[in-house]
Amino acid sequence: MERGRKRALVTGACGFTGGHMMELLIKEGWEVVATDLKREEHKQYYCEEGTLHPAYYEDIIEKLKVEFIPADLTKKETLVPLFEGKPPYDAIFHIASLYDYFAQWDVLYKVNVIGTKNLAELAIEYKARRFIHWSTEGVYGEAKDGPIDEDHPFNPPNNYSKSKAEQERVLWTLHREKGLPLTVLRPAPIYGPRHRYGVYHILYGIRRIGTGVVISWYPKKKTLMFPSVHVTDLVRAALFCAEHDETIGKAYNVLSECITQTELLEFLYDALGIKKVVRIPVYWPVYKFFSKIAMRIITALDRRARKKGVRPKVDVPMAGYLTHQYWFSNKRLKDLGFKYIYEDPRKGLWDYITWCKERGWL
Amino acid sequence: MKVGLLDVPFLIVIGGICAYLYAKHLIKRNKDWYVFLILFFTVIFWLDIILSNSGVIPKPWFGILGSVNIHPLIGTFYVLSYPLWFSWGAERVFQIFGRSPEEEGVLWPFTLKERGEPFKPSWKS
């Protein structure tokens, strides 16, 4: 190892965000140790039916020529080789998580809570200097009055977010009681090159449906917002936090400025070349009534899919964006001096859509 | 002026069927097929009206359930609106089933299987 070169451990390295994190770290001169499940183990956790599911990018490890140590968070003994006989890490970027709205609670708990606890305990034991943890904006639940900041209480609306909230509680306890040098990032839905689970559903769905619907809510204050973050900004924020010790013991929302869903859809239909767009002004209670019917249909489809052992095209929690107000503030991170490249999500989405179009993804 | 009572419903249904065939099959051969279809069926229905009003045929072919006599001015507007009714029917089908082999229309979220063809890489952005 070269002296003075910073060392990082990246978990979830074969996932969408993990790959981008490693690319940035290598570009910035860090030495990276990567870990993730082996390919065949990944299939045990994720239903890989159809097009829309979290992807596994094994080729990124080879491309970046990083040291790869396969491990399963749920089996602590498999994590030990990540630390044993190695100098302490300057930062652990803990991205690995079972990010799958289709997953059952027991599996989510096992991977996201127990798995993270296993890793954090080893990080303390082997004296990692920083522990940058990926949580989610989903832990807050719905915004009632304006954008939610980092001090807002947790009210997770679905099993995945509940597992992330529980995961955070475990980590904060370790931070308080055992000195885990923890920084928590709470990103909004992430998108960017290679992404295909989450925001991609919206774009893919629009392309498949082929006709656009733009809804304007009345009263105007009921207009739903759309939070998101480009993966480039997210990994930059993670590195920024790793390089600023004052971020220890703090949580940060990481997202571009929120735009309204109306603005988002207008933009997406234009960017995706959807020619026929239907505009519907609607009174909020009427909208809510029809959204509930849509939610019931989506829930019924989810049940049918589970019976058949396949994945539905829209996971039920994703459909929560139809009725819930998800609106967050990124002020704390910006106040620290972090500058977003994609402050306006439309700029990032345009780049991402272009990337997808070039590859036949949209 | 004599017009068929069922001309408009027929055109809506024919427009829908043509839209489906166009989106799933014909578009791949030639994008102009849609225009040909509109012209073809509109001209047939117009011919029907012209022939029945000029006495060549006793009543409109498509007026199976009867035809009515209306004011010539209203009748002219009614007959001229035929391509719009064809398009209206076609548009509803496009919305339900999609406008191309890659699209699946509003049925997409409500089905479990992907029925659309894969997207082709595009270098236009």
Side-chain angles (χ1 to χ4, degrees), chain A residues 278-347:
Chain A
V278 183
R279 287 176 176 78
I280 309 174
V282 60
Y283 180 48
W284 174 253
V286 176
Y287 172 81
K288 193 121 183 171
F289 172 75
F290 284 107
S291 301
K292 277 187 180 164
I293 294 174
M295 285 294 282
R296 280 178 183 235
I297 295 170
I298 289 163
T299 310
L301 277 165
D302 183 274
R303 273 201 298 272
R304 213 174 103 206
R306 283 180 196 278
K307 270 187 200 159
K308 290 192 170 184
V310 296
R311 179 184 277 279
K313 288 171 185 165
V314 182
D315 291 318
V316 178
M318 285 183 187
Y321 279 85
L322 287 174
T323 51
H324 287 57
Q325 181 63 288
Y326 293 121
W327 189 7
F328 310 101
S329 158
N330 59 9
K331 191 171 175 296
R332 184 180 283 179
L333 191 60
K334 278 165 87 176
D335 285 350
L336 206 63
F338 180 74
K339 290 198 168 35
Y340 286 88
I341 294 173
Y342 298 101
E343 194 136 12
D344 186 334
R346 284 167 284 209
K347 188 180 163 206

Side-chain angles (χ1 to χ4, degrees), chain A residues 204 208-209 211 313 357, chain B residues 102 104 111 113 117 122:
Chain A
Y204 185 85
R208 281 285 185 222
I209 292 169
T211 300
K313 288 171 185 165
K357 280 184 172 180
Chain B
E102 297 96 45
E104 295 177 52
T111 53
K113 262 192 184 171
E117 289 181 7
S122 159

Side-chain angles (χ1 to χ4, degrees), chain B residues 64-111:
Chain B
I64 297 167
L65 291 181
S67 54
V68 284
N69 274 310
I70 52 173
H71 190 281
L73 191 65
I74 299 169
T76 306
F77 276 112
Y78 178 73
V79 169
L80 286 177
S81 74
Y82 282 5
L84 300 179
W85 291 111
F86 181 99
S87 301
W88 190 85
E91 186 55 36
R92 300 292 78 74
V93 168
F94 282 144
Q95 284 174 343
I96 296 166
F97 296 101
R99 291 161 207 283
S100 67
E102 297 96 45
E103 293 181 4
E104 295 177 52
V106 292
L107 288 181
W108 178 80
F110 304 110
T111 53

